[in-house]
């Protein structure tokens, strides 16, 4: 046994290819093939890549990761995929949210608890508003890496590598050299977060029999506070009624499903956790059959009942900077059984979007792909409608999700990145209206948020202004909605669904915030 414990892990051939690529400045000569494999991405040009100095250290990290067990299971992934099929058909609504860039330091009790509780409260409000179930996905347990506009930045007059996320390098200037051992640390921080998340959910943190803190002390307008209180009263009355008649005895109110997600940016990490595993028994064989005339080149001709699952998270997405049709990220994602997302920004042409869908989902599975639109409040009106029409004409049935955060980032005169609450709300409300005008529907929202009382986005009923940003601005990357702003956004979106004018009345919150 001692000999087994001391034996170094052996890296697979595909792992060796990834390690070589990561220490060669992206230059590697590898034969190309139409067949997909977890390492076929290494034959394609790549954006947002990381170059490490020590190939031996990269190989050691990847070999360790290849031996570690999956973080999530095919059963969990398939349950989410089935739920997203319902979202794509308008039966349920998708709420996805969490930190911009997760830090290893966020792997602690209070930070995890606060995000779980916030997503639960937001989902209850959205269930009330949309009158349909809500699928919950957290940007958690793996959302460490972030794409950057420049690989370097100036700090104290010195050019150093940009901070790329805790799984690549450290925030302190002395820790900016990419360190492959952080890939292994990312796995264990993700595993610990997932372990605690599952334990809390099974122990009743999401039990709706327990009272929820719906404090509205931050809302400055008496009129808006009364509107929010009416929503809360309706929700609590409904829960009380279900308890009274015994409709809550089946256990459905004691816990919820909460899935994990992150941007699939570091492909060498994702590759090591991509495993060929057996599909769950409840996944029908008909779900895996290509429609007539369509050939799925990512699966073998003889179906052995297995598929390639990325087991680092239930759901992964391709960023707006890495969605090149001939690029490494699209090549990697096209072979996954997981449901996937694609960020859709202003630079996405309609024909490009359809070609991209054809590549990653040639079988046109309903809800397999979530299109995460991120145009900005001033651009969405001229772009979303054409995208909706093109996708419908293509025959793809996707989940349409609005990310109102990334297209609305601004910089204050003092150089601080922020987002205005009303800009965020405006993009969501416009998205709802444009979908309706084009015979479509918005399937979900994708938000950067935290359960903490940060001051990173301005506006909202708190009336935060530019001068408040430095009070508690803790994000190392992009600004997030704090817990009060995030819950308020849920109230407003619920009002849009109900057609009760809540969102319209709160539209002046931007002006009130600016006058504080």
């Amino acid at each position: 046994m001692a000999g087994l414990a001391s034996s170094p892990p052996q890296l697979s051939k595909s792992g060796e290819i990834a390690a070589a690529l990561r220490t060669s400045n992206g230059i590697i000569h590898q034969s190309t093939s139409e067949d997909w494999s977890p390492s076929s991405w290494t034959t394609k040009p790549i954006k947002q890549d990381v170059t490490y100095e020590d190939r031996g250290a990269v190989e050691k990290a990847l070999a360790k990761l290849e031996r570690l067990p999956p973080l999530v299971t095919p059963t969990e992934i398939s349950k989410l995929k089935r739920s997203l099929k319902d979202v794509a058909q308008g039966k349920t609504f998708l709420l996805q949210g969490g930190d911009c860039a997760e830090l290893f330091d966020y792997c602690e009790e209070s930070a995890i608890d606060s995000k779980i509780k916030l997503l639960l409260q937001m989902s209850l409000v959205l269930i009330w508003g949309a009158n349909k179930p809500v699928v919950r996905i957290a940007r958690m347990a793996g959302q460490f890496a972030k794409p950057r506009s420049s690989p370097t930045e100036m700090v104290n007059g010195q050019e150093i590598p940009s901070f790329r996320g805790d799984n690549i390098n450290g925030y302190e200037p002395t820790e900016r050299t990419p360190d492959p051992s952080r890939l292994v640390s990312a796995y264990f921080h993700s595993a610990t977060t997932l372990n605690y998340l599952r334990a809390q959910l099974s122990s009743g943190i999401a039990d709706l029999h327990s009272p929820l803190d719906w404090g509205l002390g931050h809302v400055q307008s008496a009129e808006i506070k009364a509107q929010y209180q009416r929503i809360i009263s309706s929700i609590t009355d409904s829960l009380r009624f279900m308890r009274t008649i015994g409709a809550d005895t089946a256990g459905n109110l004691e816990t919820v499903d909460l899935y994990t997600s992150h941007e699939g940016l570091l492909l060498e990490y994702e590759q090591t956790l991509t495993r060929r595993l057996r599909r769950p028994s409840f996944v029908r064989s008909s779900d895996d059959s290509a429609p007539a005339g369509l050939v799925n080149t990512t699966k073998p001709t003889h179906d052995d009942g297995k598929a390639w699952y990325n087991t680092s998270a239930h759901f992964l997405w391709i960023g707006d900077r890495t969605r090149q049709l001939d690029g490494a990220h699209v090549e990697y994602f096209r072979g996954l059984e997981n449901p996937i997302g694609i960020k859709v920004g202003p630079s996405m042409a309609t024909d490009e979007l359809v070609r991209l869908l054809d590549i990653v989902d040639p079988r046109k599975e309903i809800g397999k792909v979530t299109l995460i639109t991120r145009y900005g409040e001033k651009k969405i009106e001229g772009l979303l409608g054409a995208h909706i029409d093109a996708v419908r004409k293509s025959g793809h049935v996707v989940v349409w999700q609005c990310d109102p955060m990334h297209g609305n980032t601004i910089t204050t005169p003092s150089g601080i990145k922020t987002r205005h609450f009303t800009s965020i709300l405006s993009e969501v409300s416009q998205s709802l209206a444009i979908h309706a005008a084009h015979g479509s529907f918005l399937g979900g929202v994708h938000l950067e948020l935290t359960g903490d009382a940060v001051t990173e986005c301005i506006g909202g009923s708190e009336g935060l202004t530019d001068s408040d940003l430095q009070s508690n601005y803790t994000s190392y990357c992009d600004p997030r909605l704090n817990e009060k702003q995030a819950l308020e956004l849920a109230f407003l979106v619920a009002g849009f669904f109900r057609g009760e004018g809540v969102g319209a009345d709160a539209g002046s919150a931007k002006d009130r915030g600016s006058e504080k």
Side-chain angles (χ1 to χ4, degrees):
M1 293 299 293
L4 286 174
S6 60
S7 299
Q10 297 298 310
L11 185 62
S12 67
K13 182 63 177 177
S14 60
E16 291 177 0
I17 294 172
L21 179 68
R22 278 295 174 259
T23 52
S24 64
N25 293 309
I27 302 171
I28 186 169
H29 299 287
Q30 177 74 13
S31 61
T32 59
S33 171
E34 293 300 320
D35 295 331
W36 185 91
S37 75
S39 63
S40 59
W41 63 270
T42 60
T43 68
K44 306 291 184 179
I46 189 168
K47 299 287 187 182
Q48 296 289 324
D49 58 327
V50 179
T51 300
Y52 298 99
E53 296 178 353
D54 186 346
R55 177 171 175 175
V58 177
E59 292 183 342
K60 180 179 179 181
L62 298 185
K64 175 68 173 176
L65 289 168
E66 286 185 343
R67 293 184 62 185
L68 291 169
L71 291 173
V72 299
T73 68
T75 296
E76 294 170 335
I77 293 169
S78 298
K79 284 180 63 178
L80 173 59
K81 196 171 183 179
R82 185 168 57 183
S83 295
L84 290 175
K85 182 177 181 179
D86 288 339
V87 176
Q89 295 174 320
K91 300 175 183 178
T92 56
F93 191 77
L94 172 60
L95 171 63
Q96 187 169 3
D99 291 296
C100 166
E102 205 174 359
L103 300 178
F104 290 166
D105 285 346
Y106 295 168
C107 184
E108 55 95 15
E109 180 180 356
S110 62
I112 300 171
D113 283 349
S114 65
K115 281 191 275 284
I116 297 174
K117 293 175 181 177
L118 177 58
L119 289 171
L120 173 63
Q121 284 186 291
M122 293 178 70
S123 65
L124 284 176
V125 174
L126 292 170
I127 289 170
W128 175 87
N131 198 30
K132 61 180 67 172
V134 169
V135 179
R136 306 165 185 88
I137 304 180
R139 292 170 57 111
M140 187 188 295
Q143 177 53 19
F144 300 115
K146 288 293 293 184
R148 304 311 295 263
S149 56
S150 174
T152 62
E153 63 179 338
M154 298 300 295
V155 176
N156 298 325
Q158 181 181 3
E159 185 176 18
I160 62 174
S162 297
F163 174 60
R164 301 284 300 275
D166 265 357
N167 59 347
I168 298 174
N169 56 5
Y171 184 75
E172 294 301 319
T174 56
E175 299 177 341
R176 293 297 179 89
T177 300
D179 180 359
S181 70
R182 286 177 172 268
L183 297 173
V184 179
S185 294
Y187 172 93
F188 284 111
H189 280 87
S190 298
T192 303
T193 299
L194 264 170
N195 179 65
Y196 183 71
L197 174 66
R198 289 176 171 133
Q200 285 292 80
L201 289 175
S202 66
S203 299
I205 192 174
D207 190 346
L208 297 185
H209 296 92
S210 303
L212 296 169
D213 179 14
W214 296 97
L216 297 175
H218 65 285
V219 182
Q220 298 179 3
S221 167
E223 182 182 1
I224 294 177
K225 183 182 292 186
Q227 290 178 314
Y228 292 168
Q229 187 58 59
R230 180 168 50 83
I231 295 175
I232 293 170
S233 297
S234 178
I235 293 172
T236 53
D237 286 348
S238 298
L239 293 173
R240 188 182 304 113
F241 175 76
M242 293 180 69
R243 287 195 293 269
T244 301
I245 66 172
D248 63 343
T249 57
N252 294 333
L253 298 184
E254 295 177 358
T255 189
V256 297
D257 289 324
L258 180 59
Y259 300 98
T260 62
S261 67
H262 62 258
E263 179 177 354
L265 195 61
L266 292 186
L267 296 184
E268 66 272 25
Y269 176 83
E270 306 300 346
Q271 174 186 311
T272 63
L273 289 168
T274 304
R275 313 287 171 82
R276 187 159 182 81
L277 303 172
R278 186 166 299 279
R279 297 188 186 95
S281 57
F282 64 81
V283 177
R284 297 174 302 174
S285 59
S286 59
D287 291 337
D288 298 316
S289 299
L294 293 174
V295 179
N296 183 1
T297 60
T298 67
K299 289 184 172 65
T301 303
H302 174 69
D303 190 348
D304 61 357
K306 296 182 178 181
W308 288 105
Y309 292 91
N310 180 302
T311 64
S312 70
H314 302 104
F315 178 96
L316 294 94
W317 70 86
I318 307 173
D320 199 39
R321 291 187 176 102
T322 55
R323 55 170 175 74
Q324 295 76 25
L325 297 178
D326 62 346
H329 289 82
V330 170
E331 169 63 22
Y332 171 75
F333 270 75
R334 76 178 179 93
L336 297 180
E337 185 76 1
N338 305 57
I340 63 172
I342 300 172
K343 288 290 186 86
V344 180
S347 63
M348 177 79 83
T350 54
D351 60 337
E352 180 187 12
L353 176 57
V354 172
R355 289 167 60 201
L356 182 53
L357 287 171
D358 288 341
I359 292 170
V360 299
D361 183 25
R363 297 169 63 247
K364 298 185 178 180
E365 295 182 67
I366 299 174
K368 159 78 173 183
V369 178
T370 296
L371 294 180
I372 311 165
T373 60
R374 41 148 296 173
Y375 306 109
E377 66 166 333
K378 296 180 180 179
K379 296 181 179 180
I380 182 173
E381 185 176 3
L383 295 168
L384 176 57
H387 284 161
I388 292 171
D389 294 342
V391 172
R392 179 191 294 111
K393 185 177 179 180
S394 74
H396 289 277
V397 181
V398 303
V399 173
W400 287 100
Q401 187 183 40
C402 176
D403 168 4
M405 310 295 292
H406 285 89
N408 294 303
T409 306
I410 59 176
T411 302
T412 67
S414 58
I416 300 175
K417 284 203 300 185
T418 189
R419 291 159 174 158
H420 213 303
F421 182 85
T422 304
S423 297
I424 294 168
L425 175 63
S426 173
E427 183 156 359
V428 176
S429 63
Q430 288 185 73
S431 183
L432 285 162
I434 293 168
H435 274 286
H438 286 261
S440 178
F441 55 87
L442 180 65
V445 290
H446 187 121
L447 306 169
E448 291 186 338
L449 54 80
T450 176
D452 300 326
V454 300
T455 55
E456 297 170 2
C457 293
I458 56 180
S461 293
E462 286 183 281
L464 295 181
T465 65
D466 293 1
S467 60
D468 297 311
L469 292 177
Q470 294 183 343
S471 300
N472 192 27
Y473 196 111
T474 63
S475 175
Y476 286 178
C477 289
D478 291 337
R480 303 160 294 175
L481 295 168
N482 64 31
E483 84 285 13
K484 295 173 181 176
Q485 291 169 325
L487 187 56
E488 180 176 8
L489 186 66
F491 281 134
L492 297 175
V493 174
F496 288 137
F497 276 119
R498 286 267 175 160
E500 297 185 3
V502 179
D505 292 341
S508 59
K510 180 173 183 176
D511 298 327
R512 286 191 298 274
S514 300
E515 294 169 0
K516 180 181 174 184

